[in-house]
Amino acid sequence: MSTEGRYTTPPTEWTWQVPAHGSARFSWEYDDGRDRLLALYQKGKDKQWDAVRRIDWDLEVDPYDPLGTPDEAMSLYGTRYWDAMSDRDRGLLRQHYTSWQFSQFLHGEQGAMVCAARIVESVPDLDAKFYSATQTMDEARHAEIYGRFLHEKIGMLYPIDDNLQALLGDTLRDSRWDMPYLGMQVLIEGLALAAFGMIRDTTDKPLPKQILAYVMQDEARHVAFGRMALRDYYQQLTDAELREREEFVIEGCYLMRDRLRGLEVLENFGVPTAEAAELTEKSEFLRLFRKLLFSRIVPCVKDIGLWGPRLQQAYVDLGVFDLGDSNLDLLMTEDEEIAERMDAERFAAEEDARVAEVEETIAQGADSAP
């Protein structure tokens, strides 16, 4: 199943190499560990699942309306470009937007897999190494899922967004062991979780809803892991060291905000880059979407102890400062419960279908008896 022919534009390079810095750390202390992290590690083991079996890949997806996206959510809606489009063109636009969005999810999940593996290598504590090992497997599964969805159901991929690639590169090049946590667990995964949640809660299409619910169940654990590890560590840092991390967060948040415009999609439909940027900035739906995307990041940053004046001012400028008081624990609990309810409903429906099939077979046997 080759990806090469499915890219709208071929990647600049097919293999991206990021020079590795820092030390691989071993710990010879095997007995002690933080109870919270070890409990999370146990949960990570208990909650492993197989994407081939748990997800119903037989569910059909219309590539020209994969998510049931309303017209008003399209940044071209109400413009001369939209008015000139046929129904088929608008369906193609939906396909491209879904491809672009889920392609960034796919690339981000590969980045998360590499960052989780980097944490296994570099973090000094064995309990954190144990949990990161389970997360590496989770991220591999997520990349598998998004790749399969794009290949089999959408039929199209977009290259990695420049801003996402820049943040991934900054995260991986830093030699400090906590930076993969901060860049990936807090920023990239926090943003992705919010995007997953918005689509999960608004789409009326069963397969993408299922995929996002199950991926988010895993990601709730990952964010909890990052919060635990960084909260403990950042209490030990000097003010100067904390300011360095806050600068990284500020830059990363601006990169993430600019990542979410999808200008590449509009350019593929003949919209000049400058006009595409202007149209996306005017989109009320996209403005709301971009604000809500920080709903997981801001409270997490505040919780781990990065809340200096410059960082607070950056969140004021981004219009997301008020999200610092969001209940992150409640959001994560809901993510897990939604996946569990979906499982329960699916299994109950399958059991009812099996019972009905058995009863029908029995009835047919009785009717044919002499």
Side-chain angles (χ1 to χ4, degrees), residues 4-21:
E4 185 172 350
R6 289 179 167 81
Y7 273 104
T8 55
T9 304
T12 305
E13 50 188 357
W14 287 96
T15 300
W16 180 41
Q17 300 185 60
V18 182
H21 301 281

Side-chain angles (χ1 to χ4, degrees), residues 48-233:
Q48 291 295 318
W49 49 279
D50 186 346
V52 174
R53 295 185 175 89
R54 194 181 188 193
I55 291 174
D56 185 0
W57 292 104
D58 291 333
L59 290 168
E60 292 187 4
V61 173
D62 178 359
Y64 300 109
D65 190 21
L67 304 175
T69 308
D71 291 349
E72 293 77 10
M74 300 284 102
S75 53
L76 289 185
Y77 180 74
T79 69
R80 60 190 175 89
Y81 295 102
W82 180 266
D83 294 340
M85 284 181 165
S86 64
D87 289 342
R88 184 184 181 282
D89 291 334
R90 292 171 183 175
L92 194 61
L93 180 65
R94 287 186 174 85
Q95 181 186 24
H96 274 258
Y97 261 122
T98 303
S99 170
W100 176 81
Q101 199 161 38
F102 277 73
S103 293
Q104 304 319 309
F105 295 166
L106 169 61
H107 304 316
E109 295 294 353
Q110 183 182 174
M113 178 177 66
V114 172
C115 285
R118 179 68 59 84
I119 292 171
V120 173
E121 177 187 43
S122 64
V123 73
D125 303 308
L126 198 62
D127 51 8
K129 290 181 184 292
F130 283 168
Y131 181 77
S132 295
T134 68
Q135 181 176 344
T136 305
M137 183 62 204
D138 289 345
E139 308 297 5
R141 179 169 56 249
H142 300 168
E144 170 198 352
I145 290 167
Y146 286 129
R148 182 171 178 178
F149 180 72
L150 286 162
H151 275 84
E152 295 184 5
K153 305 299 183 179
I154 306 300
M156 180 188 299
L157 282 86
Y158 269 77
I160 187 170
D161 178 89
D162 290 344
N163 294 305
L164 174 58
Q165 187 165 4
L167 182 54
L168 267 175
D170 290 344
T171 298
L172 290 168
R173 289 187 192 97
D174 201 297
S175 61
R176 293 168 292 188
W177 66 260
D178 65 295
M179 298 310 284
Y181 281 100
L182 189 57
M184 179 54 64
Q185 310 281 80
V186 176
L187 297 182
I188 297 176
E189 295 233 303
L191 191 96
L193 259 176
F196 296 168
M198 287 193 69
I199 299 173
R200 177 200 63 190
D201 296 340
T202 56
T203 183
D204 59 357
K205 307 301 182 183
L207 182 58
K209 183 184 285 288
Q210 200 178 102
I211 287 171
L212 292 164
Y214 292 154
V215 168
M216 290 184 73
Q217 186 179 37
D218 291 341
E219 300 290 8
R221 296 193 305 274
H222 304 168
V223 173
F225 169 51
R227 288 171 67 198
M228 286 181 197
L230 293 180
R231 191 191 301 127
D232 292 346
Y233 180 59

